[in-house]
Amino acid sequence: MAVAPVPDGLAAADERSHPPGDDPAWGESWSFWWWTPDAALGGYVRIGFLPHLGVCWYWAALAGAGRPTVLVVDQEVPPPRRPTLEVRHHGLWADHTVEVPFDHVTLGCEAFALGLDDPHDAWRRPLLGDRLPFGLDLEWETDGPAVVGPAGGEWGGYDLPCLVHGEVLVADERIEVDATGSRRHAWGVERWWDAEWMRLSGRLDDGSWCGVEAELGHDLQVPRRPMASAPVLVEAPDGRAARLDRVLCRFTDPATGLAGAGWMEANDPPAAASPTRP
């Protein structure tokens, strides 16, 4: 099988961490999504750093139609010893390994998660739910050309459409995953607490990748049918909190009229009057 090429303007080293910028809101993250074509089941993993704020976050989720949302949210993880992305904390072990740059990544996790009948209980404090053993062993294999972020702006990075294989464990349930997905590595200024934005990462039914983004409160204007939700309360060290909604959905691409499936996310900073729910 051919190895995916290194995208123009990037190097293999760009799969690893980058030197922090000067802005206090500078951060770096590795995000991974997967979903079934009918959007009946999906999940995500994200590890992120805000070095000037001294925080490291780990999020993982499993969501699906007619089932409780399962969340792992730890926003006090000790930073890993770079260049690895292996983290350990109370009741959490996770690793993220680039086997072949821009081509193949493996993820592992062993943790305790919370099962939520109402996923938006994730925005409440204290966060309460059914405590469940959770694990995953998943592989992301690149399945199309990279989409490279703008050069010279507040952030840089890339998105890669992927095929995802492996398994997810929840309590005594073993879920075999053979799905579509994507992954994003981004570094730069992260506007969690002072800007609204929405983003879609999905695959159209003809196999083409679809990624759309809007900022400053502008709706994406993408018709969608939500199937499940796995939100996160994004808490700053100074007590501010943004409501991030992540929705597994079927949608229609307004540019082509084609249907697809994927994850849509909307960030509402503390000043927002009410949460946006795509």
Side-chain angles (χ1 to χ4, degrees):
M1 182 180 295
V3 173
V6 175
D8 292 342
L10 298 175
D14 282 313
E15 286 271 48
R16 300 195 293 271
S17 57
H18 292 74
D22 295 330
D23 193 302
W26 191 94
E28 185 165 22
S29 62
W30 290 257
S31 301
F32 306 83
W33 295 269
W34 64 269
W35 58 87
T36 56
D38 59 1
L41 188 67
Y44 65 75
V45 173
R46 183 186 189 274
I47 181 172
F49 310 100
L50 286 164
H52 296 296
L53 299 182
V55 297
C56 174
W57 299 336
Y58 180 85
W59 307 339
L62 176 74
R67 62 182 296 142
T69 292
V70 178
L71 284 175
V72 179
V73 178
D74 191 336
Q75 299 184 159
E76 298 180 349
V77 179
R81 291 187 176 182
R82 301 188 181 187
T84 74
L85 287 175
E86 182 183 15
V87 294
R88 297 177 182 270
H89 202 207
H90 305 302
L92 168 67
W93 168 85
D95 201 4
H96 319 74
T97 304
V98 178
E99 306 288 353
V100 181
F102 301 103
D103 185 79
H104 185 198
V105 172
T106 58
L107 271 62
C109 174
E110 296 175 4
F112 286 102
L114 289 180
L116 305 175
D117 290 328
D118 180 352
H120 290 94
D121 283 347
W123 289 338
R124 300 180 184 274
R125 289 297 178 268
L127 177 56
L128 301 175
D130 297 323
R131 196 166 187 255
L132 302 168
F134 177 86
L136 61 84
D137 183 3
L138 295 172
E139 301 183 32
W140 268 256
E141 296 181 350
T142 299
D143 187 43
V147 178
V148 181
E154 283 196 326
W155 68 277
Y158 48 89
D159 292 85
L160 291 164
C162 299
L163 298 177
V164 185
H165 309 280
E167 63 181 18
V168 176
L169 307 175
V170 180
D172 59 356
E173 182 180 14
R174 183 183 300 270
I175 300 169
E176 296 294 329
V177 175
D178 184 6
T180 299
S182 66
R183 66 181 178 100
R184 163 179 276 214
H185 179 193
W187 55 91
V189 179
E190 296 190 349
R191 301 296 185 189
W192 291 104
W193 302 291
D194 59 9
E196 294 178 286
W197 47 260
M198 299 181 74
R199 181 182 299 132
L200 170 69
S201 180
R203 184 76 67 97
L204 300 176
D205 291 344
D206 68 352
S208 58
W209 187 77
C210 181
V212 189
E213 187 165 349
E215 296 184 354
L216 302 176
H218 296 292
D219 194 357
L220 283 180
Q221 302 298 325
V222 177
R224 59 262 190 187
R225 178 163 59 94
M227 305 295 288
S229 182
V232 176
L233 190 68
V234 186
E235 298 172 282
D238 63 7
R240 291 175 299 161
R243 290 179 170 182
L244 177 68
D245 207 1
R246 286 186 158 180
V247 176
L248 180 65
C249 62
R250 290 283 299 172
F251 63 88
T252 301
D253 179 12
T256 64
L258 293 173
W263 282 93
M264 179 171 282
E265 55 186 4
N267 183 66
D268 280 293
S274 62
T276 301
R277 297 190 181 184

